[in-house]
């Protein structure tokens, strides 16, 4: 009985999704979507499961969301996978999290290559274990020539840390005469951020009901539309992504013509 219900829900959902995608494509899409994938721990504790079971489930949700973003023609999907603050978690949990890129690419990399998705990473590489860095670098290399969706993982990333680093590098370049101290504009500043190849996010989604930024892309989110949802990340479905995009489209229609704010790359 349970199985039957589940199947019915899935096939109905699929049908709806195709129709919704067609409609969504008729309107302006966010070019860059950033997601704070929160709620894995809560998802697990609700089921009396260990936190790592929630992370495992959360990793599985990244695939369908990436597929849908690619299908919609989104240019950049930035996913907050691990923050510079996450190192204080229990060692066992951190060790597990650091194996998730392996788990993810182990089954998904061939499809990403095939589907023209380009993998990128934003964050400090230094502190990451070698095995993590190796699989991420391998995925970046294998998808280097792809021209479709950029799948950008924020891994060991922190917004203040990023800004501070930009300042330090600017000071360094000013000292070496590479940049003129008097002519540092917002545009030049953004060149020193880790996201310097991408436009600012048009849409930020945070799951799990928390209404804060938690040190994510502080500079880049200045003009971004925020959509917060109570859905926990392991439950976040294609429908939920489409809901967020539809909300974005309703808002941009409402503001129509007033969209010249923010820096456009
Ligand atoms: C992680 C699953 C998603 C929810 C948020 C926390 C747990 C995918 C990756 C990943 C990262 C880099 C990469 C490929 C995949 C990942 C961590 C945690 C640390 F190149 N999910 N996921 N990395 N979670």
């Amino acid at each position: 009985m349970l199985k039957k219900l589940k199947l019915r829900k899935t096939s109905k959902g699929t049908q709806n999704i195709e129709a919704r995608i067609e409609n969504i494509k008729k309107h302006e899409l966010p070019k860059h979507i950033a997601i704070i994938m929160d709620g894995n721990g809560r998802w697990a504790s609700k089921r009396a499961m260990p936190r790592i079971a929630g992370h495992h489930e959360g990793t599985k949700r990244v695939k369908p969301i990436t597929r849908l973003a690619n299908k919609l023609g989104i240019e950049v999907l930035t996913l907050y996978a691990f923050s510079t603050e996450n190192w204080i978690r229990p060692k066992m949990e951190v060790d597990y999290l650091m194996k998730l890129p392996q788990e993810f690419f182990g089954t998904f990399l061939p499809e990403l290559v095939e589907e023209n998705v380009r993998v990128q990473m934003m964050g400090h590489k230094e502190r990451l274990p070698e095995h993590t860095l190796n699989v991420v670098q391998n995925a970046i290399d294998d998808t280097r020539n792809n021209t479709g969706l950029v799948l950008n993982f924020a891994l060991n990333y922190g917004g203040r840390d990023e800004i501070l680093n930009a300042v330090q590098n600017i000071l360094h370049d000013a000292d070496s005469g590479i940049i003129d101290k008097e002519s540092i504009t917002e545009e030049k500043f953004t060149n020193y951020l880790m996201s310097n190849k991408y436009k600012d996010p048009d849409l930020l989604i945070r799951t799990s009901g928390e209404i804060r930024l938690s040190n994510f892309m502080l500079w880049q989110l200045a003009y971004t539309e925020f959509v917060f949802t109570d859905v926990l990340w392991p439950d976040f479905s294609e429908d939920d992504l489409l809901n967020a995009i539809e909300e974005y489209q309703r808002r941009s229609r409402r503001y129509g013509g007033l969209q010249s704010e923010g820096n456009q790359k």
Side-chain angles (χ1 to χ4, degrees):
M1 181 59 185
L2 196 69
K3 209 168 181 185
K4 203 171 168 194
L5 260 176
K6 216 176 158 187
L7 266 174
R8 262 182 45 204
K9 195 176 162 223
T10 312
S11 63
K12 183 168 169 264
T14 313
Q15 225 181 19
N16 278 343
I17 278 179
E18 294 303 328
R20 288 181 78 190
I21 290 174
E22 285 319 302
N23 266 317
I24 279 177
K25 280 186 165 178
K26 289 179 192 150
H27 305 285
E28 188 197 312
L29 279 161
K31 294 184 174 69
H32 183 173
I33 300 178
I35 308 183
I36 303 178
M37 306 179 289
D38 197 10
N40 302 288
R42 208 170 312 162
W43 183 93
S45 65
K46 268 171 68 176
R47 289 163 178 76
M49 290 159 98
R51 287 175 63 80
I52 58 169
H55 295 317
H56 172 72
E57 204 59 31
T59 310
K60 289 204 278 185
R61 292 315 303 160
V62 177
K63 293 181 194 177
I65 295 306
T66 302
R67 279 190 198 110
L68 178 54
N70 196 29
K71 188 168 177 176
L72 285 166
I74 305 296
E75 289 174 19
V76 185
L77 178 65
T78 296
L79 301 176
Y80 205 4
F82 193 87
S83 82
T84 48
E85 288 88 37
N86 286 156
W87 295 107
I88 58 166
R89 291 186 181 182
K91 183 176 182 312
M92 204 199 78
E93 187 178 339
V94 170
D95 287 349
Y96 183 79
L97 287 166
M98 288 300 135
K99 289 182 194 146
L100 290 179
Q102 264 117 307
E103 184 175 318
F104 179 75
F105 290 127
T107 53
F108 202 37
L109 186 56
E111 183 178 332
L112 293 173
V113 175
E114 180 66 27
E115 292 298 323
N116 200 23
V117 174
R118 185 166 174 205
V119 175
Q120 291 279 276
M121 183 200 136
M122 181 172 84
H124 284 298
K125 292 185 172 165
E126 296 82 51
R127 215 175 150 181
L128 297 171
E130 203 174 291
H131 67 89
T132 310
L133 210 50
N134 286 345
V135 287
V136 177
Q137 194 55 53
N138 176 58
I140 293 172
D141 293 343
D142 282 4
T143 59
R144 173 149 287 150
N145 297 321
N146 284 355
T147 55
L149 172 75
V150 173
L151 177 59
N152 178 35
F153 285 100
L155 196 58
N156 195 19
Y157 171 88
R160 286 187 178 180
D161 169 83
E162 179 190 38
I163 292 172
L164 197 57
N165 260 286
V167 171
Q168 284 163 345
N169 288 329
I170 288 174
L171 288 174
H172 176 270
D173 284 357
D175 274 350
S176 357
I178 296 169
I179 186 170
D180 172 19
K181 245 195 319 209
E182 309 302 321
S183 72
I184 301 165
T185 57
E186 287 188 12
E187 201 194 332
K188 283 185 189 161
F189 188 86
T190 59
N191 290 336
Y192 286 82
L193 297 172
M194 292 166 173
S195 59
N196 56 10
K197 296 196 282 294
Y198 320 121
K199 296 184 183 103
D200 290 338
D202 305 289
L203 170 63
L204 170 81
I205 302 168
R206 180 166 189 160
T207 59
S208 186
E210 306 296 341
I211 319 280
R212 46 194 152 76
L213 284 183
S214 300
N215 203 16
F216 189 50
M217 300 185 89
L218 298 177
W219 175 283
Q220 299 88 337
L221 295 173
Y223 298 101
T224 303
E225 292 292 340
F226 294 176
V227 171
F228 296 100
T229 167
D230 288 337
V231 176
L232 306 177
W233 176 255
D235 294 325
F236 193 79
S237 65
E238 287 98 324
D239 273 313
D240 294 317
L241 178 60
L242 296 177
N243 286 345
I245 295 174
E246 281 172 356
E247 173 62 23
Y248 170 85
Q249 292 184 326
R250 277 193 294 275
R251 291 187 204 171
S252 46
R253 272 205 294 278
R254 218 176 301 145
Y255 302 142
L258 291 173
Q259 293 160 343
S260 53
E261 289 177 301
N263 64 336
Q264 297 298 318
K265 278 217 175 100

